[in-house]
Structures are given as structure tokens and as C-alpha cells.
Amino acid sequence: MEGVKHLEREGTDYIVKQYVSLQHCIMMIWVLISIIVIISTSYLKTGIIMFVFSLLLTIVAFMPPRVSFNFISKNLTVANRGLNRRKFTYDLNDFEGFELQTIRIAIIPLGCFLYADFKNVSHFKRPVISQSFSKKKMQEIINELEDLKKHSKNTKH
């Protein structure tokens, strides 16, 4: 299927692209703060410890999960790539829809998260499909996934 810009095709799977969000920016700010502490203050040990921990957290934060939809075998696979390397597979027959959640302070959006809702999965364990600062990107991902879902149903019959 042509015209998808937020999904990458890999065989029969469609992998959802991940974007920079609030947690990535916070980790980069901590790295910069620790560099400033090392350079401009006399707290060298504290700055080095802050730098090492914030650098490790930044590396972990920039390893987003690999989220792939397979409409032929009707499953969603979420493979964590950080310290907690686990792979979860969800059945798309139990899929209820997407939920878009935006976190704001006043009118300033801090982050937008796209969740997949399933019948047999609790509200706290639902998979995060993607995140970004932009609600528009998340809505485009929803539209592309819905189009792929409709397209896969039409090609089967």
C-alpha cells in the first residue's frame, strides 16, 4: 500500500515509527545539566555521577519498543528493546480501537500517546503504539493503520 509515511513495511508486518517525546527531552536536559555541573562548579564527583546516570537513562529512553502490526496473521507484536527485553503478542480479533491521550499543562502539550485498546487486557497493561509531541502525527498513524486494516480485509475476500 502506497502513501504511508508513519509505517514501514517489513515482510507482512507494518512497523510503527517512533518519535521524540517528553521523556527524551527530559533525559537530554539532565545530560546537559550534568555537563554544566562538571564544567562550571566545583562539584566534579557529583557532576560525573549525574552525567553517567543521565547518559545511561538517555540511552535506555532512546531504545523505543518495536511495534508491528500483521493484518494477515491478525496480531500486534510489541518487542521491548531496553533493559526489560520482552515480547508481547496481542490478538487483533480482541482489538477494540485506539485511544489518543494528550498530556497538557494549560494549553501547552507535553506529549501525545497512542494506545491500543483490547477486550481482554486491563487498562494499565495496554500497549503504547507510539508517542510524540504532535497530536497530528498520532492521528495520521491511526488513519494509516485503519486504512491498512480495511485494505487487508478487502484483499482477503
Side-chain angles (χ1 to χ4, degrees):
M1 182 166 175
E2 306 257 340
V4 292
K5 63 180 183 177
H6 301 287
L7 303 173
E8 295 176 7
R9 187 175 181 148
E10 188 176 288
T12 58
D13 290 347
Y14 287 92
I15 299 168
V16 180
K17 290 182 183 176
Q18 303 295 321
Y19 297 98
V20 175
S21 64
L22 181 65
Q23 66 263 27
H24 301 112
C25 293
I26 290 172
M27 291 298 117
M28 292 305 297
I29 289 170
W30 271 108
V31 168
L32 292 175
I33 288 171
S34 63
I35 290 172
I36 290 170
V37 168
I38 290 172
I39 292 173
S40 63
T41 66
S42 62
Y43 298 107
L44 185 63
K45 290 179 187 176
T46 304
I48 291 172
I49 290 171
M50 281 177 56
F51 180 74
V52 169
F53 282 124
S54 59
L55 193 61
L56 288 173
L57 288 173
T58 303
I59 291 169
V60 170
F62 279 101
M63 285 192 274
R66 185 176 185 268
V67 179
S68 62
F69 282 87
N70 190 330
F71 293 106
I72 295 171
S73 64
K74 295 190 183 283
N75 62 14
L76 163 68
T77 305
V78 179
N80 293 329
R81 297 187 287 180
L83 297 174
N84 189 9
R85 293 179 183 255
R86 293 192 300 182
K87 190 174 188 178
F88 299 99
T89 303
Y90 300 92
D91 189 13
L92 287 179
N93 292 325
D94 296 334
F95 180 73
E96 289 183 334
F98 295 104
E99 182 180 340
L100 196 57
Q101 184 179 27
T102 304
I103 299 172
R104 298 177 184 263
I105 291 182
I107 60 169
I108 302 169
L110 296 178
C112 191
F113 298 90
L114 177 61
Y115 294 99
D117 288 328
F118 290 91
K119 295 175 189 169
N120 300 328
V121 177
S122 74
H123 185 71
F124 296 107
K125 293 186 180 183
R126 61 192 173 157
V128 176
I129 304 302
S130 188
Q131 70 270 346
S132 174
F133 283 113
S134 171
K135 187 175 181 179
K136 182 182 176 186
K137 279 185 188 175
M138 297 299 105
Q139 188 61 50
E140 289 174 353
I141 290 174
I142 292 172
N143 294 342
E144 288 179 3
L145 288 170
E146 292 292 333
D147 288 345
L148 285 173
K149 187 176 174 183
K150 288 178 188 174
H151 181 69
S152 68
K153 283 184 180 178
N154 291 340
T155 56
K156 279 188 135 181
H157 297 286

